[in-house]
Amino acid sequence: MSKQSTHIWSIGLGSRDKASLAEHMPKDAELVTFTRKKLPGKQDLESSTPLLTFIDNAAWKTMSDYRRKSLSSWNGSQLVLLVDKNAPGQVYEQALNNGFMSVVAKPLGKRQIAACQRRAEEIRNLFTDIFNMANEIELEREILARKTENLLFLN
């Protein structure tokens, strides 16, 4: 079975951060770039599940409330907000309240990208494990229900 390539999205990143992301992301990853003017639409959100989505704070601020809410509530990707080094503390708090997995100060570096990727993979694996356990529980419940029916029939 061949390993599926990982998608990483960038929204509104400057050329320096975009180049750093392209250079330091995993070898099997594919970078999909969106600008402030061309944001991911409903079809993009429904058809893709990138591991990570890096969003520049300036792009986040210019998005409509509807667009921000749709990205925040989207379960397809872990969101990372890129902020200036001297960003006020409230930016960090607001980002975490808006569903961002992480907030990273510019410039984007190799260690930051690797740490975000590691956390996103851990979260994805955790959700996969929970989903698999829920399926196992459902199967066990069906088996117990059938055994109960058989026992009731025999009595």
Side-chain angles (χ1 to χ4, degrees):
M1 183 159 104
S2 67
K3 188 174 180 182
Q4 192 177 27
S5 84
T6 302
H7 290 217
I8 295 177
W9 284 9
S10 73
I11 300 175
L13 268 60
S15 57
R16 181 178 177 187
D17 291 317
K18 202 181 326 177
S20 181
L21 182 57
E23 179 182 347
H24 298 300
M25 65 184 200
K27 302 289 183 232
D28 66 336
E30 179 183 333
L31 181 61
V32 179
T33 303
F34 296 95
T35 64
R36 286 189 207 180
K37 293 179 181 177
K38 187 201 173 279
L39 296 170
K42 185 177 180 181
Q43 183 178 359
D44 295 311
L45 298 177
E46 291 174 352
S47 66
S48 185
T49 54
L51 178 65
L52 286 165
T53 299
F54 289 87
I55 304 174
D56 189 86
N57 190 37
W60 180 254
K61 286 180 182 177
T62 61
M63 287 182 199
S64 68
D65 285 341
Y66 173 78
R67 183 74 65 160
R68 276 188 263 176
K69 284 178 185 174
S70 66
L71 281 171
S72 294
S73 63
W74 179 44
N75 293 324
S77 181
Q78 296 301 317
L79 305 177
V80 178
L81 187 68
L82 267 70
V83 298
D84 294 322
K85 279 185 179 179
N86 55 359
Q90 70 189 45
V91 171
Y92 291 85
E93 188 176 330
Q94 288 171 348
L96 295 174
N97 288 338
N98 283 317
F100 282 85
M101 173 193 77
S102 186
V103 180
V104 177
K106 294 178 188 180
L108 192 56
K110 182 178 185 174
R111 277 195 279 165
Q112 294 165 314
I113 295 167
C116 289
Q117 178 194 356
R118 209 172 27 258
R119 270 183 257 149
E121 286 173 346
E122 287 172 2
I123 291 168
R124 184 176 273 179
N125 290 339
L126 179 65
F127 280 125
T128 300
D129 289 346
I130 291 170
F131 180 77
N132 289 338
M133 284 190 278
N135 283 339
E136 287 177 23
I137 291 168
E138 187 177 333
L139 289 173
E140 287 291 328
R141 191 168 181 219
E142 281 183 34
I143 291 170
L144 288 173
R146 287 183 186 160
K147 286 182 178 180
T148 302
E149 286 176 13
N150 288 340
L151 288 172
L152 289 175
F153 177 74
L154 292 174
N155 288 334

